[in-house]
Amino acid sequence: MSSIQNIDIKNIQEELRKFLEHTKKCLPHISIYTVIFSFNNDNLNVLLLRFGDTQYFSLPGGFVLKNEKIDDASLRILKKRTDLSKLYIEQFTTTGNVENPNEDIYNETLKKMGIVLPDNNLMNQRRISICYYSLIDAAKVNPKGNDFFVSEVKWRSVQKLPELMYDHKLIIEKAISKLQLDMDRKLVSYNLMNETFTMGELQKLYEAVFQREFTRTNFQRKMLSLNILERLDKKYSGESHKAPYLYRFKNIQ
Amino acid sequence: MSSIQNIDIKNIQEELRKFLEHTKKCLPHISIYTVIFSFNNDNLNVLLLRFGDTQYFSLPGGFVLKNEKIDDASLRILKKRTDLSKLYIEQFTTTGNVENPNEDIYNETLKKMGIVLPDNNLMNQRRISICYYSLIDAAKVNPKGNDFFVSEVKWRSVQKLPELMYDHKLIIEKAISKLQLDMDRKLVSYNLMNETFTMGELQKLYEAVFQREFTRTNFQRKMLSLNILERLDKKYSGESHKAPYLYRFKNIQ
């Protein structure tokens, strides 16, 4: 996680040149953003990129190649940031207001870095953002921020979000709503848990996602009624009779 | 609902000219499509446009003006087709595959009509489609299809869909899934009902949307438990003591 002060101007200019080459191959006016969730230390976290030397962060994002499906663009961007393939992704909204909030911060920061983008570059255009969320195990990832405008890549708790660029606060809020909905309808939570877990650990995930507390008995009753969990045998050794049961999700490949 | 054979070539060329003028003011590579639902004769219907003299239909759609929010573009397109403003809209997906199925039908039909679109016109480009659904009262609408490629505008039952252009079958299927989800979570069904209705009429709407039957007592119990309905007094006159209760939705402006 290098600080922007450590990147020399020659490197920035070289990264910028590559970036501009890439944007020529992409559709205009369209961005992809991905809210990458992980669950760690009882918190629901999102992966954010610090923008230059500012206090502003943005979501990992990118553009759509002219011959690329939008789902594939989202997976490509995820691979670039996390080195992981075949991640679970879920499209949840497309935002398309005319104004980009904080565009002045964007322009001033680039100026300070000695960067001038050509007129009508994708970054300067009005953009429509197709938004996905993904669920990953933070322990498996060494997140990357190898772009000229990224000075730091960080997991941040959704309860303590920093200042965000563009409409990214709204996008994260919508992603959390969709995740809550999907937790009730689809079997998505296994993406955020270890293979085996206690009921208490699962409850902590639900509490982090729904941002409220559940009572232990009600939570357990609800989870068992969904018929998605398999209870594993306790290993009787030493004090383990006091240990809680371990569970795993049924029917997960 | 004029047949395409009745439109003379001069009119088509004039409509085409206006259309091309309009597309110059729009963002490239982006379409808006709207699945307009109504509930009539116990069927969930969608508004479809017949494409030229073919057996293929498409959803009402359009493009996004360079200075227009995407929600506003959806409302503008709805107004153009229905003359109604302030309709309920819900964005539910964005599709973005590289290939447009049935593009050959599209090109051949235009050719037969003597229409040649300029290269790289919005209609020939690879397009990403932002999709909305809307719920309207079919009785209030005289749907319009005043485009050079539309020969007929029709309500069609979702259970008997005709052949559809592009990926519009998939879009309609996704719209129905989202509508089902929203019926359970949000108060959207009032958009499809008269102001007052019997429990039996409401059950018919649910059966049309969910494409399955409910038992009368279970349906009634579920609806009443949601606490969204207000039961009106029966009017005692003649045989009306046999008439079912009328209901209306609570808290609808």
Side-chain angles (χ1 to χ4, degrees), chain B residues 45-57:
Chain B
N45 300 306
V46 287
L47 193 70
L48 295 175
L49 314 177
R50 186 192 292 272
F51 186 68
D53 63 351
T54 72
Q55 294 306 307
Y56 286 82
F57 284 75

Side-chain angles (χ1 to χ4, degrees), chain A residues 143-178:
Chain A
K144 292 176 185 176
N146 48 344
D147 296 82
F148 63 91
F149 50 82
V150 175
S151 60
E152 195 179 8
V153 184
K154 250 193 160 160
W155 289 107
R156 295 292 294 255
S157 163
V158 297
Q159 299 205 296
K160 279 186 239 159
L161 289 176
E163 297 263 31
L164 289 154
M165 294 287 284
Y166 314 127
D167 55 355
H168 291 188
K169 187 165 193 292
L170 177 71
I171 291 174
I172 293 172
E173 285 166 1
K174 285 190 177 191
I176 294 170
S177 295
K178 184 59 167 31

Side-chain angles (χ1 to χ4, degrees), chain A residues 21-66:
Chain A
E21 274 306 304
H22 170 66
T23 59
K24 280 183 201 161
K25 297 179 212 151
C26 295
L27 295 176
H29 297 290
I30 296 161
S31 317
I32 301 270
Y33 283 106
T34 302
V35 180
I36 307 178
F37 286 118
S38 73
F39 178 60
N40 213 0
N41 300 324
D42 298 345
N43 275 306
L44 183 69
N45 301 306
V46 287
L47 193 69
L48 295 176
L49 314 177
R50 185 190 294 272
F51 187 68
D53 63 350
T54 71
Q55 293 306 307
Y56 286 83
F57 284 76
S58 73
L59 290 165
F63 305 113
V64 183
L65 292 166
K66 282 172 185 161

Side-chain angles (χ1 to χ4, degrees), chain B residues 172-187:
Chain B
I172 293 172
E173 285 165 2
K174 285 190 177 190
I176 294 170
S177 295
K178 183 61 166 30
L179 174 60
Q180 290 175 351
L181 198 62
D182 290 344
M183 297 265 287
D184 273 359
R185 290 168 54 230
K186 303 184 192 183
L187 202 47

Side-chain angles (χ1 to χ4, degrees), chain B residues 95-109:
Chain B
T95 63
N97 282 349
V98 179
E99 305 295 335
N100 257 339
N102 299 327
E103 198 133 46
D104 46 338
I105 293 166
Y106 177 80
N107 291 326
E108 279 166 33
T109 307

